[in-house]
Amino acid sequence: MVSGSAGFIGGYVVEELLARGYAVLGIDNYSKYGPVVKSYDQHPDYTFIQGDARDVELMTKLLMDCDHFIAGAALIGGISYFHAYAYDLLATNERIMASQCDAAITAHTNGSLKKVTYLSSSMVFESAEHWPSTEGDERKIPPPLSSYGFQKLAVEYFAKAAWDQYQLPYTIIRPFNCVGIGEGRALGDVEIASGNVTLAMSHVVPDLVQKIVKGQDPLHILGQGNQIRHYTYGGDLAKGIIECMASDAAHNNDFNISTPESTSVRELAEVIWKKIKGDTPLNLIHDQAYEYDVQKRVPDIQKAKNILGIQCNTTLDTMLDEVIPWVTQAINDGRL
């Protein structure tokens, strides 16, 4: 079972599970993008339930006959999300996580459930002062300052507490800056103006593509553009998540999953600009950065590689060659 199966990362995970021969049960309430159509909707091994992960009775019923649970349901978005929905990110995501754990504990005790694979976030390392961030650092450094980062750290405490009290096995996964197709215009009553383009709670890659395709020049970026990120392809991340789900070596363990490549936001903007605008000179406007726009997120990825053989090697060039046409088409269709 995959919660948040209609979401951005969830879509890649369901697709990879089906490709590997798993029977998959997905649940989503369409709260992020509204109803979406996925390529696998009619797959004979896929069953979709439109429902809310906060419904403990429903979640328990669905999980009873499942072997694995990938707990991906959450309110999630780009940096603007952290500020526009600071309370909701904490309160709603805590309710989602508590109900998922309640249901999983019952399904493990009385049903077939073997383990829960939890999606945490690189934001647990928000307050890091040394890099790369290694598994275990999240408990040595100060807690995250943003409510989103703090709640993702709480996800990890839920996982460990459910094991300590109820012996519910877990694996914790920390994705770093997932990139791919499928991010549409987020629903909600808050939109963010970036120069002459209005954004809707997305992430930096589709936002930059959208602004350039819509003709923004000079191009607006947050701050000086020195923020360091590791842009990881959704397909690579999905493979890593499933390895973590299925491997005995991942039992009660935690893993950073990321590309090894560091890229600044300015470098990202330059690459996207060149792919879309060719030799046209790039001019930048530096907008005021957000309070919680972490300047550096760099993971140590050796544990996932050494224990599970996980490597995320899709290049940024390859990712952008997929994302740019997708975003361009979404703009032409009026979806962005």
Side-chain angles (χ1 to χ4, degrees):
M1 180 172 169
V2 179
S3 65
S5 63
F8 176 41
I9 294 176
Y12 278 101
V13 170
V14 171
E15 188 174 50
E16 182 66 22
L17 284 166
L18 292 170
R20 296 189 185 202
Y22 288 94
V24 182
L25 175 63
I27 183 170
D28 203 294
N29 66 352
Y30 291 142
S31 63
K32 179 68 182 288
Y33 302 122
V36 294
V37 176
K38 297 289 189 180
S39 61
Y40 46 76
D41 284 342
Q42 305 305 316
H43 194 289
D45 290 329
Y46 182 59
T47 302
F48 176 73
I49 302 295
Q50 184 175 348
D52 197 319
R54 291 169 292 185
D55 184 337
V56 179
E57 183 178 352
L58 174 63
M59 293 294 289
T60 303
K61 179 181 177 182
L62 295 175
L63 279 172
M64 288 298 286
D65 295 324
C66 293
D67 294 320
H68 290 279
F69 178 28
I70 298 175
L75 291 183
I76 186 171
I79 182 65
S80 56
Y81 238 80
F82 301 170
H83 298 79
Y85 296 121
Y87 176 79
D88 290 347
L89 282 169
L90 186 62
T92 302
N93 285 344
E94 287 293 276
R95 293 183 180 107
I96 291 170
M97 186 49 52
S99 71
Q100 291 186 137
C101 283
D102 287 349
I105 288 165
T106 300
H108 177 63
T109 303
N110 301 319
S112 303
L113 188 65
K114 298 174 183 175
K115 188 180 78 169
V116 181
T117 301
Y118 298 85
L119 298 193
S120 178
S121 169
S122 61
M123 283 294 288
V124 301
F125 300 121
E126 182 181 344
S127 299
E129 296 179 346
H130 68 272
W131 298 271
S133 296
T134 302
E135 290 88 345
D137 285 353
E138 73 284 350
R139 296 208 171 199
K140 300 174 184 176
I141 63 176
L145 296 176
S146 68
S147 62
Y148 178 78
F150 185 83
Q151 196 281 320
K152 284 301 183 183
L153 183 60
V155 167
E156 304 191 10
Y157 277 81
F158 268 96
K160 293 176 181 180
W163 165 257
D164 289 343
Q165 185 171 350
Y166 295 102
Q167 287 72 59
L168 175 63
Y170 67 87
T171 302
I172 293 167
I173 295 169
R174 302 184 193 95
F176 279 71
N177 290 90
C178 182
V179 175
I181 62 172
E183 287 193 276
R185 174 170 287 273
L187 302 176
D189 56 0
V190 179
E191 292 187 322
I192 303 298
S194 181
N196 62 337
V197 175
T198 299
L199 305 172
M201 306 299 177
S202 199
H203 289 94
V204 62
V205 171
D207 279 353
L208 286 173
V209 173
Q210 180 184 168
K211 286 188 281 190
I212 296 169
V213 170
K214 289 182 176 180
Q216 188 179 85
D217 187 4
L219 180 65
H220 288 248
I221 63 172
L222 292 175
Q224 295 304 304
N226 298 323
Q227 307 95 316
I228 298 296
R229 301 289 185 265
H230 279 229
Y231 299 106
T232 306
Y233 181 55
D236 290 344
L237 177 58
K239 289 180 173 68
I241 289 170
I242 294 164
E243 289 301 320
C244 288
M245 178 200 80
S247 174
D248 290 340
H251 178 87
N252 289 3
N253 219 331
D254 61 326
F255 299 94
N256 300 332
I257 301 184
S258 172
T259 177
E261 181 181 0
S262 291
T263 305
S264 72
V265 170
R266 186 186 184 102
E267 289 169 337
L268 175 67
E270 289 170 349
V271 172
I272 296 174
W273 181 272
K274 186 172 181 62
K275 282 183 174 291
I276 297 173
K277 305 290 282 188
D279 294 330
T280 303
L282 169 63
N283 297 301
L284 295 173
I285 290 180
H286 300 278
D287 293 339
Q288 179 68 38
Y290 286 103
E291 180 181 359
Y292 300 126
D293 194 5
V294 180
Q295 291 302 296
K296 197 170 184 178
R297 289 211 294 267
V298 179
D300 187 322
I301 57 173
Q302 289 305 305
K303 182 178 179 182
K305 180 179 179 180
N306 294 342
I307 294 177
L308 301 176
I310 294 171
Q311 299 186 72
C312 300
N313 292 329
T314 302
T315 66
L316 182 60
D317 264 349
T318 300
M319 291 181 235
L320 292 176
D321 286 343
E322 181 177 312
V323 172
I324 290 172
W326 191 91
V327 173
T328 303
Q329 187 61 52
I331 291 170
N332 293 338
D333 293 344
R335 291 180 282 121
L336 283 175

